[in-house]
Amino acid sequence: QVQLVESGGGLVQAGGSLRLSCAASERTFSYYAMGWFRQAPGKEREFVGVISKSGGSTYYADFVKGRFAISRDNAKNTVWLQMNSLKPEDTAVYYCAAANAYPTGSRNQYHYWGQGTQVTVSS
C-alpha cells in the first residue's frame, strides 16, 4: 500500500505560479508512474499529466501543455507539479496518483491516490 500526501496548494493570482509536491510513503515509489489529476467543484476529476517510473518521459493533457511540468526524484520518493501562467479555470483540488501503466490518463488505472490539495487562482 502506497500512501501519497500532496502539499503546496494555495491561493495565487492569475498569471502566477505554484509548485505542488506529492510525497510517497514507500520505497516502491519508483515502481509506479505518477500522475496528477484535478477536480473542480461540480466537475469530473480530470487528468492533468503523468511521468514515467524513471522520470524520463512525461505526458500531458492538452489544456496544460507548455504551462505545467511534472518531475520526480525517486531517491526522495517525491513527484512535483510545477504550474505556471495559472488561470482562474485551473482552480481545483489537485491529486497525485500512482499507476503501473504508462502513459495513461484513465482514473481506473491509478491504484493509489492522495487526499488532494486545493489550488485557487484569483482573477
Side-chain angles (χ1 to χ4, degrees), residues 24-117:
S25 61
E26 299 291 329
R27 285 177 289 180
T28 54
F29 172 75
S30 64
Y31 294 1
Y32 298 97
M34 295 300 298
W36 286 92
F37 288 75
R38 69 185 188 184
Q39 188 167 18
K43 295 188 176 181
E44 293 286 318
R45 191 171 300 188
E46 65 179 351
F47 171 74
V48 173
V50 60
I51 189 166
S52 64
K53 298 173 185 180
S54 68
S57 64
T58 52
Y59 177 75
Y60 298 98
D62 287 343
F63 61 82
V64 301
K65 283 181 181 177
R67 298 191 300 127
F68 292 8
I70 300 173
S71 60
R72 70 188 294 166
D73 185 336
N74 288 340
K76 296 181 179 179
N77 291 349
T78 303
V79 60
W80 296 275
L81 176 65
Q82 177 68 45
M83 304 187 293
N84 301 323
S85 302
L86 283 162
K87 306 173 183 179
E89 51 264 42
D90 293 319
T91 295
V93 177
Y94 283 73
Y95 300 88
C96 67
N100 291 117
Y102 177 84
T104 178
S106 172
R107 287 176 291 171
N108 293 337
Q109 293 191 295
Y110 286 82
H111 311 294
Y112 304 106
W113 293 82
Q115 83 291 345
T117 185

Side-chain angles (χ1 to χ4, degrees), residues 5-22:
V5 179
E6 302 95 335
S7 61
L11 174 64
V12 63
Q13 289 188 330
S17 298
L18 276 177
R19 190 190 195 201
L20 305 184
S21 299
C22 172

